[in-house]
Amino acid sequence: MGSELINLSFGALAAKQAAEELLCCNRISEPFGLSLTPQQAAALILTRQEALQSTGRIELGGGIFQKLITAFCDSPYITQYDYEQTLHELLELFYWCKNETLDKVSDDVLIGFMKRIFDGPARGSMELLQDYLEQMAKGLRRGSTGLEEE
Amino acid sequence: MKMEALESVSRIQPSSREPAAYVQELLSEAVRTGILSAAEGEAIQFQILSLLADIISKYTKGKSSSVRIETAQSLLESVFYTIYAAVLQYPNAESAILGWKEQGTEAFFLAGQQHLKRLLDKSHILHQNLCDRLFQTPNSFYCGSIKDGISGFYKLYRPQYFAQETHITADYPVYMPFEGPGGILFIWRYLRELEMENLFLTRFPPKNVHHILEKSCPGYENAPVNLFGPVLIAALGIALAGGEIQTLTISGMDRIYLEQVFQRLNRTQTEELLAGAAERVSDALCLPDRANRYLKRAVKEAAFTVHHHSTHKTMALLFPDLNEQQHPFTD
């Protein structure tokens, strides 16, 4: 039944809705010089699908693109040149981290944390961001609630 | 609508499969036979998906747009289980499908939720009554399952998200094991059967019940064995031997008589004889109608056991002589 769910949630209709949502986000990111083409949007939707599948997760409805773009579009470390690639990587990290934190962290808190690390100590480095997220997830699994309180 | 189509749908029996499989089969059969058009079938599928999205959002308190597939799968099973509960409110499958189509999935689902809630409330009362009147026995599984196990179920059960989950293992076996859905539908049926068995057991002196059980299953105190069955068979035997049923006492002569009676009978004849005895037992114990009906169902199972022991010349296990040994049970 799980695979049926995936098929339903990634059906043509759901993908079209997600693409529209993603292109609407250009209104948020354009003031910062960032935008996506329809082809880039389609590629990101595919990445989301693959990230969800590889992490064994499912997403009905959407909203995660808008949250990520709203949070990251003002980052000094993102340019139009690497905007799409950054979003691909952020999406993958996001779903990976949801699992690693055992779903203890809400979407908003996790995205907020990612943004602070990305702009702060990671200085735009995805590798460093991943290291920080790994440490944070380990702490959470050990029972630390530091992230939720931040 | 063709009569043939309605008959095809009504052949899908709810008790024969898990709720999720049943509901999906019901839907596909309704589309196949034309009770629902393909577009209506597809619309219902999207309504289920939309309902699932709402439930996921409530489950995560709106804090997460995604969940693990296992979680989504359990939540979806709960949706199907609740719809199944709504279907059970209809006299047959075809009227349920028509009701579903007319109301829409969300309203139909809510009707199922209300039914489950009513059942949960009723089962709480039944459980409390059962605990208050629980038969006193040294068998640890009896008290453990009925009192502690089911209380645990109420603590853990979340019908709004995981209505299909039973959480407990219900180690104490009822006399006639049943298959079917879990969750409150299982607990409700389990409690109803336990209520009847407990009612029957409380009609006898605990020390005599203890003696019967000790013979039929030595060490029964710490074993997950049914208490009702051996006592029922002993009572039926006493009724046939013309003894005093309430005392649950069988003499050596009674047993010899029963051995002679049963050795001449095949299984069907054994069942017929026991069915007559069950009426006498019921009268002697002043059992209510519900318990009588339960007894009638149980006779079939009892006949199987009696015939088996008669064939293997082990009737002493079913009809032990109360005077054969001192029993350690204290009132």
Side-chain angles (χ1 to χ4, degrees):
Chain A
M1 201 181 298
S3 57
E4 286 169 26
L5 258 176
I6 291 170
N7 290 339
L8 281 168
S9 61
F10 291 118
L13 190 62
K16 189 167 172 256
Q17 280 174 342
E20 283 167 7
E21 180 206 333
L22 201 42
L23 290 172
C24 280
C25 291
N26 281 341
R27 280 182 294 192
I28 301 165
S29 59
E30 270 165 359
F32 301 95
L34 305 172
S35 65
L36 294 168
T37 64
Q39 290 76 15
Q40 288 173 326
L44 279 165
I45 286 156
L46 196 63
T47 294
R48 182 184 74 153
Q49 181 176 340
E50 286 166 359
L52 284 166
Q53 279 176 333
S54 70
T55 52
R57 299 184 68 83
I58 194 160
E59 189 167 80
L60 295 171
I64 209 64
F65 286 121
Q66 188 177 342
K67 284 180 178 176
L68 276 174
I69 289 170
T70 305
F72 280 84
C73 65
D74 67 347
S75 170
Y77 298 102
I78 301 175
T79 64
Q80 177 62 34
Y81 175 74
D82 56 18
Y83 180 44
E84 183 201 352
Q85 185 56 33
T86 304
L87 285 177
H88 281 291
E89 292 176 26
L90 285 173
L91 263 178
E92 285 168 355
L93 266 184
F94 173 79
Y95 290 119
W96 168 82
C97 203
K98 288 291 284 187
N99 273 4
E100 292 297 305
T101 56
L102 310 173
D103 284 304
K104 286 180 178 173
V105 185
S106 73
D107 292 354
D108 292 346
V109 170
L110 178 57
I111 290 172
F113 182 80
M114 288 167 73
K115 173 67 179 350
R116 271 187 289 125
I117 299 297
F118 186 78
D119 282 359
R123 298 176 186 226
S125 160
M126 282 294 170
E127 289 75 22
L128 282 176
L129 173 60
Q130 182 163 1
D131 287 346
Y132 276 97
L133 289 175
E134 269 177 27
Q135 283 173 33
M136 177 273 286
K138 271 185 197 165
L140 264 175
R141 289 199 300 271
R142 281 198 300 264
S144 156
T145 54
L147 179 65
E148 287 288 307
E149 287 161 5
E150 275 180 282
Chain B
M1 194 173 301
K2 290 175 188 170
M3 185 58 72
E4 194 182 308
L6 292 175
E7 280 170 3
S8 170
V9 171
S10 61
R11 273 200 294 273
I12 305 170
Q13 293 300 315
S15 59
S16 61
R17 45 183 67 71
E18 283 299 305
Y22 170 76
V23 171
Q24 288 174 92
E25 192 179 339
L26 189 64
L27 265 183
S28 58
E29 190 65 7
V31 171
R32 191 186 69 78
T33 54
I35 295 176
L36 293 177
S37 68
E40 285 168 336
E42 200 171 302
I44 283 181
Q45 275 200 324
F46 271 99
Q47 286 167 10
I48 291 172
L49 203 59
S50 164
L51 188 62
L52 179 64
D54 286 348
I55 290 168
I56 288 176
S57 176
K58 280 180 193 151
Y59 176 71
T60 65
K61 299 187 177 76
K63 289 180 177 175
S64 183
S65 61
S66 62
V67 289
R68 283 174 173 270
I69 282 180
E70 308 89 79
T71 307
Q73 194 170 324
S74 288
L75 291 167
L76 182 62
E77 277 177 31
S78 178
V79 168
F80 283 131
Y81 179 95
T82 308
I83 288 173
Y84 174 87
V87 169
L88 293 180
Q89 301 309 293
Y90 288 82
N92 50 48
E94 58 268 26
S95 59
I97 277 284
L98 295 173
W100 186 352
K101 178 181 160 182
E102 191 184 310
Q103 294 174 45
T105 300
E106 197 180 341
F108 200 68
F109 173 81
L110 286 175
Q113 271 196 330
Q114 280 167 5
H115 173 61
L116 294 178
K117 175 155 190 335
R118 278 195 300 272
L119 219 50
L120 195 58
D121 293 342
K122 280 162 66 180
S123 81
H124 258 301
I125 296 167
L126 179 57
H127 180 235
Q128 193 53 54
N129 288 339
L130 189 57
C131 289
D132 291 345
R133 297 168 176 79
L134 203 61
F135 177 70
Q136 295 304 306
T137 170
N139 181 274
S140 54
F141 286 89
Y142 195 67
C143 186
S145 287
I146 298 175
K147 274 193 171 169
D148 306 334
I150 293 177
S151 297
F153 166 80
Y154 292 127
K155 278 183 197 153
L156 298 170
Y157 193 51
R158 289 186 292 170
Q160 70 276 38
Y161 297 124
F162 304 107
Q164 78 284 14
E165 289 188 2
T166 310
H167 299 291
I168 60 164
T169 51
D171 295 325
Y172 177 77
V174 288
Y175 188 51
M176 292 169 281
F178 55 89
E179 289 181 355
I184 186 62
L185 293 172
F186 166 79
I187 292 292
W188 173 245
R189 183 163 174 195
Y190 185 59
L191 279 172
R192 296 265 291 178
E193 310 241 324
L194 285 173
E195 182 196 20
M196 294 302 107
E197 295 188 9
N198 189 70
L199 181 71
F200 185 79
L201 288 170
T202 52
R203 295 288 206 262
F204 300 102
K207 63 181 179 184
N208 294 8
V209 169
H210 171 72
H211 180 68
I212 298 281
L213 293 169
E214 226 181 9
K215 279 284 177 183
S216 71
C217 180
Y220 82 96
E221 293 94 332
N222 298 311
V225 292
N226 178 265
L227 310 186
F228 167 85
V231 178
L232 169 68
I233 290 172
L236 293 171
I238 296 166
L240 288 171
E244 200 176 335
I245 295 165
Q246 290 93 331
T247 63
L248 208 60
T249 305
I250 301 166
S251 68
M253 290 303 289
D254 290 341
R255 190 169 74 212
I256 291 166
Y257 167 74
L258 291 169
E259 280 170 351
Q260 287 174 347
V261 169
F262 285 116
Q263 74 183 3
R264 296 195 306 269
L265 306 180
N266 62 28
R267 201 170 131 192
T268 311
Q269 291 166 326
T270 302
E271 192 179 323
E272 284 166 6
L273 189 68
L274 291 180
E279 285 179 20
R280 267 173 277 160
V281 168
S282 183
D283 288 343
L285 302 178
C286 301
L287 294 176
D289 284 347
R290 288 178 300 136
N292 285 339
R293 287 195 293 274
Y294 192 76
L295 233 55
K296 277 182 188 162
R297 276 175 50 213
V299 157
K300 191 168 273 205
E301 189 82 22
F304 177 82
T305 306
V306 170
H307 185 64
H308 174 83
H309 281 275
S310 176
T311 310
H312 291 86
K313 312 273 185 230
T314 51
M315 295 289 266
L317 293 174
L318 298 181
F319 305 114
D321 183 349
L322 196 60
N323 299 316
E324 272 178 1
Q325 66 172 57
Q326 292 290 317
H327 49 79
F329 190 92
T330 50
D331 285 309

